[in-house]
Amino acid sequence: MDTYLAILLLVTTAFPSNRPSGVSLSRTTSANNKSIESRLLQTIRPENCRREHRIFTEQPHMAGSTRNYWLAQYVAKQWRAYGLDHVELIEHPVYLPWPVRYEATLLGATAEKLSLQEEAIPQDKDSYATDVGIPYCAYSADVDVTAPVVYVNSGNPADYDLLAQQGVEVRGKIALARYSVPYSYRGFKALTAQRRGVAALLLYSDPADDGFKKGEVFPWGPWGPESHLQRGGIVYDFNLPGDPRTPGWASVPGGRFLPVESAVSMPTVAAAPMSYKDARKILEKMTGPNAPAAWQGGLPFSYRLGPSSDQLHLIIQNDKQVRSIWNVVGRLDGAERPDEWVILGNHRDAWVYGGVDPSSGSASLMETARAFGNLKRSGWKPRRTLIFASWDAEEFTLTGSTEWGELEADRLRKGALAYLNVDSSSSGNSFAVAAVPALPSRRGARCS
Ligand SMILES: [Zn+2]
């Protein structure tokens, strides 16, 4: 939080020119900043952050849900009460499919239906909730297919090349890939699977990457228990972020929309997440060559490339709905250069509770807004306009911030000075610090 405030003050009060590059501070400005900064820091209360975090994480709040709209109203109400100059709730109707069906059945001598659910843990009351929704990969295509499974390691192009060298056919099969270390975006895995002609892609976290091979699993430690699974989008946001139907312009009620089918960001392959408890049942059925040493995982058997001896019947179905999302944008008007903007943003929507991502950041954002509101009440004004933003549907395809950026494109091009994003501001029990080296430190030295 301290670093966050220091950077924010630096860019809002100190820089004499438009662009914050390598500018040293005068002694007077630095002293003024220090006084403002200490007043801000004295206002920040950890117990407020804890209370806000509890409010944001009390219920699942996926984009498009009633709860996430309620939270948008809550943020707007709080920011008005804190004393921000203008607070708006901005609606964007966007293509936002939700899951309606996800089933996977191994067709052996007796059919075995996989659970595809996270199991409840006695120490965690929230794990008993029944309103967490069907696990899914947002923007997956629909599929109803029966096919053998092949193990594709991380699902990157080099992995498929190795399978081809080994004579393992993937076309028309279901690919089982790991969420990998080093990381590769699941959308890139989906695009690679689509290009290689697989029938569907299943993604799981191997215990070697996130599970008992790393250490104690939840609730005894931080690593994933055997039924945990990771939701996420597979959209090709590297082609186009935001509502797939409005490339380059904002989605507004009554606006112009292209057909979803024409969007360059829409996958044509189906994908879904799976736990290692379920993936194990498939991996145990693999035939074919032994997987290379680097592909071996944490389960207690030798991984093979496949295909699986049993076929998998996989059904993935999502609705094709347009839903309203809600950005909350609050301003503290600049006294000297109101058209120059410093923007502080955090998304609000979560796949489920969002304990770390994004609600730890939301708690920081709320308390920061409160502290600045207090400062304003004491007569202080920023030199440039400060904008606080609570984005919706970031998890889907950076949707809320993209739509707002398109809505405000002209003003942003002319006056956007800096954008500071907070996603997750705290997790775990160890302290780590990162900084933006382009910004000078308070003494004018570069951060390292
Ligand atoms: Zn996030």
Side-chain angles (χ1 to χ4, degrees):
M1 181 69 87
D2 293 21
T3 311
Y4 200 35
L5 289 174
I7 291 172
L8 199 56
L9 275 166
L10 202 61
V11 290
T12 51
T13 63
F15 288 109
S17 64
N18 276 353
R19 301 290 161 192
S21 54
V23 182
S24 299
L25 304 180
S26 73
R27 215 168 268 166
T28 325
T29 316
S30 183
N32 287 345
N33 271 1
K34 203 161 171 48
S35 138
I36 295 165
E37 183 179 336
S38 55
R39 282 158 66 195
L40 275 169
L41 290 176
Q42 279 161 16
T43 317
I44 299 288
R45 294 272 176 276
E47 59 271 24
N48 288 347
C49 295
R50 264 183 231 116
R51 195 191 63 240
E52 294 293 347
H53 186 257
R54 172 50 69 186
I55 292 166
F56 280 88
T57 58
E58 189 56 36
Q59 292 178 27
H61 53 285
M62 195 160 76
S65 66
T66 310
R67 177 66 181 182
N68 208 39
Y69 177 52
W70 184 91
L71 283 172
Q73 293 173 304
Y74 167 76
V75 170
K77 186 179 84 167
Q78 294 295 92
W79 287 358
R80 286 184 188 116
Y82 297 160
L84 300 195
D85 291 317
H86 307 275
V87 179
E88 278 185 287
L89 219 68
I90 305 165
E91 178 183 10
H92 294 285
V94 299
Y95 184 62
L96 209 74
W98 283 4
V100 291
R101 198 171 171 200
Y102 175 28
E103 293 171 23
T105 310
L106 263 172
L107 305 175
T110 54
E112 183 179 7
K113 202 166 178 178
L114 304 182
S115 104
L116 310 177
Q117 288 295 332
E118 291 181 295
E119 289 163 9
I121 293 167
Q123 293 89 335
D124 178 10
K125 77 170 174 60
D126 291 330
S127 66
Y128 287 87
T130 54
D131 57 351
V132 296
I134 298 168
Y136 84 129
C137 285
Y139 299 112
S140 163
D142 288 355
V143 80
D144 184 341
V145 67
T146 301
V149 184
V150 288
Y151 172 53
V152 300
N153 191 35
S154 294
N156 292 325
D159 299 322
Y160 287 93
D161 292 345
L162 187 141
L163 286 161
Q165 286 159 15
Q166 295 286 317
V168 178
E169 178 61 65
V170 298
R171 196 161 285 275
K173 309 274 196 326
I174 297 167
L176 178 62
R178 294 158 68 150
Y179 279 117
S180 46
V181 179
Y183 173 81
S184 73
Y185 168 53
R186 71 181 81 69
F188 179 64
K189 295 175 196 283
L191 179 64
T192 308
Q194 181 178 307
R195 285 178 170 161
R196 303 290 173 140
V198 309
L201 172 69
L202 294 170
L203 293 158
Y204 84 103
S205 298
D206 195 277
D209 303 321
D210 184 3
F212 59 82
K213 278 287 180 183
K214 298 291 282 187
E216 292 281 15
V217 302
F218 187 77
W220 299 281
W223 299 103
E226 66 171 355
S227 73
H228 92 278
L229 47 80
Q230 187 187 137
R231 292 158 169 82
I234 58 162
V235 73
Y236 304 156
D237 57 6
F238 35 82
N239 291 338
L240 174 75
D243 188 349
R245 308 167 308 152
T246 55
W249 67 91
S251 298
V252 294
R256 182 167 72 95
F257 300 95
L258 300 181
V260 173
E261 296 70 34
S262 69
V264 293
S265 57
M266 282 295 95
T268 57
V269 72
M274 184 172 270
S275 67
Y276 63 79
K277 184 176 184 182
D278 283 333
R280 172 182 188 145
K281 291 172 183 166
I282 302 172
L283 287 165
E284 282 174 337
K285 298 278 168 64
M286 290 299 184
T287 64
N290 254 321
W295 290 32
Q296 295 297 326
L299 294 167
F301 50 79
S302 185
Y303 289 34
R304 292 177 176 276
L305 299 180
S308 56
S309 56
D310 294 343
Q311 301 213 89
L312 186 72
H313 181 203
L314 179 68
I315 302 172
I316 297 170
Q317 201 184 333
N318 301 299
D319 67 16
K320 308 282 185 293
Q321 295 295 308
V322 170
R323 295 183 159 89
S324 280
I325 61 164
W326 301 86
N327 290 328
V328 189
V329 178
R331 281 205 330 249
L332 268 181
D333 290 329
E336 293 175 30
R337 300 183 179 190
D339 295 333
E340 292 181 4
W341 292 357
V342 172
I343 305 153
L344 182 57
N346 155 255
H347 72 94
R348 187 181 66 255
D349 65 300
W351 284 122
V352 189
Y353 294 100
V356 172
D357 173 6
S359 303
S360 60
S362 302
S364 298
L365 181 71
M366 296 301 282
E367 189 61 355
T368 306
R370 192 184 68 80
F372 274 99
N374 260 11
L375 207 56
K376 184 202 144 189
R377 284 213 182 89
S378 72
W380 174 85
K381 270 180 177 285
R383 181 180 293 178
R384 298 175 172 87
T385 294
L386 259 178
I387 294 187
F388 295 86
S390 168
W391 309 125
D392 205 346
E394 185 269 359
E395 295 291 11
F396 279 75
T397 172
L398 308 170
T399 319
S401 56
T402 303
E403 297 310 315
W404 184 78
E406 289 167 342
L407 196 66
E408 296 287 357
D410 287 345
R411 287 202 280 184
L412 286 166
R413 268 192 208 102
K414 282 182 203 141
L417 185 69
Y419 175 74
L420 302 174
N421 192 65
V422 59
D423 188 72
S424 310
S425 65
S426 54
S427 74
N429 58 3
S430 44
F431 181 69
V433 176
V436 180
L439 291 170
S441 79
R442 291 205 339 247
R443 282 193 297 274
R446 295 277 174 181
C447 302
S448 56

